[in-house]
Amino acid sequence: TAKPCTADVSTFVVGEEYYFVVRAFQGSSEISVDNIRCEIDHSGVIDNLILVNTDDFSKKFKFTPTEQKGHVLRVYRSDTLVATYTFDAIIDTGWQNVSFSDGYTNYSGDNLKIRRIGNIVEINGSWTALKNHTASSSPIKFATIDEMFRPVSEVYIRQQGPGMNTYLLLVEPTGNVYWSKYGTSSSSNLTASNKYICHALWTVNGGAVGGGGSNNTGGSNVDLSNYY
């Protein structure tokens, strides 16, 4: 009696494209993949994978997900199902705009953008106020981010403004983004049309990853307790 066919699948990701390298076995012996085909099932929608390379004992397929979760990869030899794999695609939103509150906008030439790759969210760019503001220890909302980017707990990160100016960035689970006074000096006051750098990373399952500084690096007083 012939031993059943099994399949081994290796996965790697390049950008937003997923590649699956499939090998077939009968027992411990590697066999031809001539009759091997693969399909992806997402919520009942079936997509055949694109064959990009093959040799005697392996086939490489390409798949570009349009959804993030609940993909099922099925491997067939002729019409016989020999392997099933379930996976979630890595989320990569690309850079997207934030929504500003009244009185705030992008700094010209350095728009404030946000991006999520996997569970890491990065906000980067610069913003400005349309009028002067006196800093307060109470947070003042200047922007909002979409639900897919929101942390599960508050993220506080010190940010760099023009010259010696600094401010405290707060990102809430509600999606609201605030600035407030950092320290006790007037150097946290906002001057209309000045450039206020904003750079921070956090995970969508909680915890800040890094802060912003005058060169989009640095930061301070970051709580990483939920990250590790």
Side-chain angles (χ1 to χ4, degrees):
T1 302
K3 295 179 180 179
C5 175
T6 59
D8 177 73
V9 180
S10 301
T11 308
F12 62 96
V13 183
V14 179
E16 297 181 357
E17 294 179 337
Y18 279 66
Y19 291 86
F20 303 96
V21 179
V22 181
R23 297 180 180 274
F25 294 85
Q26 213 151 30
S28 60
S29 300
E30 199 164 6
I31 61 175
S32 171
V33 291
D34 285 346
N35 297 325
I36 293 291
R37 65 180 180 88
C38 294
E39 69 180 23
I40 290 285
D41 182 343
H42 182 264
S43 301
V45 178
I46 307 298
D47 290 317
N48 289 315
L49 275 70
I50 299 171
L51 180 65
V52 294
N53 189 40
T54 186
D55 57 34
D56 289 342
F57 295 108
S58 70
K59 284 185 175 180
K60 182 166 73 173
F61 297 90
K62 180 175 73 172
F63 170 62
T64 304
T66 56
E67 300 287 344
Q68 306 299 340
K69 291 184 174 294
H71 298 86
V72 179
L73 170 67
R74 298 192 182 99
V75 182
Y76 294 87
R77 188 184 186 206
S78 298
D79 291 323
T80 302
L81 179 65
V82 296
T84 302
Y85 298 87
T86 300
F87 68 97
D88 291 340
I90 294 176
I91 295 173
D92 185 348
T93 64
W95 289 104
Q96 299 189 21
N97 295 318
V98 304
S99 298
F100 283 101
S101 304
D102 290 343
Y104 300 90
T105 190
N106 285 307
Y107 185 81
S108 179
D110 188 21
N111 288 358
L112 187 60
K113 300 278 190 178
I114 192 165
R115 182 177 189 175
R116 174 179 171 182
I117 301 178
N119 287 329
I120 301 294
V121 175
E122 179 179 8
I123 190 169
N124 190 38
S126 300
W127 57 279
T128 190
L130 301 182
K131 65 179 183 179
N132 295 342
H133 291 270
T134 300
S136 169
S137 57
S138 298
I140 301 169
K141 188 173 81 168
F142 72 92
T144 306
I145 57 175
D146 288 341
E147 184 175 357
M148 73 181 78
F149 302 114
R150 297 174 184 176
V152 297
S153 58
E154 293 179 340
V155 175
Y156 290 88
I157 301 178
R158 183 186 181 188
Q159 300 288 312
Q160 182 68 48
M164 297 298 293
N165 185 291
T166 62
Y167 69 96
L168 188 64
L169 177 74
L170 165 61
V171 184
E172 287 192 330
T174 60
N176 293 332
V177 184
Y178 301 86
W179 71 275
S180 62
K181 178 186 291 187
Y182 182 84
T184 59
S185 73
S186 61
S187 63
S188 294
N189 293 339
L190 296 191
T191 302
S193 301
N194 273 358
K195 180 177 182 178
Y196 294 90
I197 292 169
C198 182
H199 182 250
L201 297 96
W202 61 85
T203 62
V204 292
N205 58 356
V209 181
S214 57
N215 295 308
N216 289 347
T217 59
S220 63
N221 295 347
V222 179
D223 179 8
L224 299 179
S225 59
N226 293 320
Y227 180 62
Y228 291 103

